[in-house]
Amino acid sequence: MEEASEQVLTGLNHILQQRGLYGEISPVSGGTLGITYLVRCSAGKLLFAKTHIPEEAYRLALKQEYWLFKTVYGQDLYLELIDVNDQSYMFMDLLMAPQQKILPDEVLQMTNIFATRTSKLSITSNNLAYSIEDLLENAQKESDVLYAHGLLSKELKEYSLKALHRFERKIPDLQRCICHGDLSDKNILETDTGKRIAIDWEDGFWGIPGYDYLYWLTFFNHRCFCEREYFLKAGYSLELTTEILLMILILKSAISFYSGNYLKNSMSIEMRIEEMLNKLGEI
């Protein structure tokens, strides 16, 4: 692994030297499927560089992330993908943590940009790993798992499955776009001019407008925004909004169940879903 890391760094230095960008390279922690660096160029420019751990699958994942990033933010940021032998490197402008609290209307504006810039793509023009249909199918399966483990009542499971089946029938008539798939505060940074940018597009999928906005609202630290007025800003009817939110919460609850994190939560899975339905006026 140490030898592989040295090869990665050698490749990164080679790219910078070719472009006359001599400077200091510092590893950055926090990568999941990648290896990340801060590049302080001699001319004073700061860049973020990301590459992948060995194996072709991770290289392809980085290339897909770059394609998603470029599709959504190519007109706002410097973004470049460079290959050196069997290693790929993504370069981009360095982004910073937001200076102000992130608010729902800002997230809605961000996700509207996703939709505007990607809705003209066709589902066959990209090689995304999954789609909203896949998420829905998983949610239907996971509702049974949660019920089997006593985390959903029979009534709430049946209510949820009926809602998910209604959503399934509506999907063919909905506008499609690329969604981020994991839009949380930690995945939102900003440029030096204050423009908010979503990073880490590894979970990008072929979805529907507003999904990422509703997904962001369902984080527990955004509970103060879990109100009907905020939910409906996604632009859908009350019924459709409820169906999308149920899908999101069931999927998040399943992740929490498999990781064991649900045992640490102050609210049960059932209580969390019922709270959302109460806010919507559905129960």
Side-chain angles (χ1 to χ4, degrees):
M1 193 66 178
E2 188 175 331
E3 181 182 347
S5 297
E6 196 158 319
Q7 290 175 352
V8 165
L9 200 54
T10 299
L12 182 54
N13 272 306
H14 175 72
I15 292 168
L16 295 174
Q17 288 170 11
Q18 279 191 326
R19 284 159 171 70
L21 298 172
Y22 302 97
E24 179 185 350
I25 301 172
S26 306
V28 179
S29 61
T32 50
L33 301 179
I35 307 166
T36 53
Y37 297 93
L38 170 64
V39 181
R40 294 181 174 88
C41 302
S42 54
K45 187 174 181 61
L46 294 173
L47 295 176
F48 176 79
K50 181 175 183 178
T51 186
H52 52 88
I53 58 180
E55 291 187 27
E56 183 64 14
Y58 295 116
R59 181 181 189 176
L60 293 175
L62 180 67
K63 284 177 173 286
Q64 178 174 287
E65 182 183 5
Y66 167 76
W67 176 76
L68 288 167
F69 224 139
K70 189 77 172 177
T71 300
V72 177
Y73 291 119
Q75 63 196 65
D76 303 309
L77 298 171
Y78 160 66
L79 286 159
E80 187 174 7
L81 187 74
I82 302 171
D83 294 326
V84 177
N85 299 322
D86 59 352
Q87 196 73 28
S88 297
Y89 299 82
M90 180 172 72
F91 292 86
M92 59 182 288
D93 291 327
L94 183 68
L95 301 172
M96 300 166 289
Q99 299 300 303
Q100 304 292 331
K101 182 178 179 179
I102 302 169
L103 299 174
D105 283 349
E106 294 171 314
V107 177
L108 183 60
Q109 184 179 25
M110 287 178 63
T111 59
N112 285 342
I113 288 174
F114 303 167
T116 300
R117 295 181 180 178
T118 67
S119 61
K120 292 183 180 179
L121 297 172
S122 69
I123 195 165
T124 56
S125 70
N126 62 72
N127 58 349
L128 296 174
Y130 60 102
S131 66
I132 193 78
E133 288 89 349
D134 297 316
L135 291 183
L136 178 59
E137 182 179 351
N138 288 340
Q140 291 167 337
K141 292 175 182 176
E142 298 299 358
S143 64
D144 285 327
V145 172
L146 294 173
Y147 168 68
H149 287 83
L151 299 173
L152 277 187
S153 65
K154 182 180 179 181
E155 293 75 19
L156 186 53
K157 185 200 80 162
E158 291 177 350
Y159 177 91
S160 299
L161 284 174
K162 286 179 182 177
L164 294 177
H165 286 308
R166 288 198 307 270
F167 180 38
E168 185 175 17
R169 293 192 294 270
K170 293 170 186 170
I171 287 178
D173 297 323
L174 297 177
Q175 180 186 339
R176 304 304 293 267
C177 69
I178 289 173
C179 293
H180 182 277
D182 187 23
L183 192 62
S184 62
D185 286 351
K186 67 180 177 62
N187 283 334
I188 298 175
L189 299 179
E190 65 183 22
T191 66
D192 54 6
T193 61
K195 182 179 180 63
R196 297 282 167 84
I197 302 289
I199 64 165
D200 289 346
W201 284 78
E202 292 102 331
D203 294 315
F205 72 96
W206 192 236
I208 57 174
Y211 172 90
D212 286 318
Y213 167 71
L214 292 172
Y215 182 93
W216 181 88
L217 283 175
T218 59
F219 279 96
F220 198 73
N221 61 314
H222 302 146
R223 198 171 162 212
C224 58
F225 302 123
C226 284
E227 300 289 344
R228 179 172 169 147
E229 64 173 295
Y230 287 111
F231 290 139
L232 293 179
K233 285 186 177 185
Y236 297 116
S237 67
L238 176 61
E239 181 178 82
L240 182 50
T241 301
T242 302
E243 293 157 3
I244 298 169
L245 284 166
L246 278 168
M247 181 186 72
I248 291 170
L249 283 175
I250 288 170
L251 290 171
K252 283 190 173 185
S253 297
I255 292 171
S256 179
F257 165 66
Y258 291 123
S259 68
N261 287 336
Y262 77 102
L263 296 169
K264 307 171 190 175
N265 294 340
S266 59
M267 294 180 71
S268 70
I269 288 172
E270 176 117 354
M271 288 171 61
R272 186 80 174 93
I273 295 174
E274 285 185 340
E275 179 186 59
M276 181 271 293
L277 292 172
N278 267 311
K279 297 288 187 179
L280 286 163
E282 288 295 283
I283 60 172

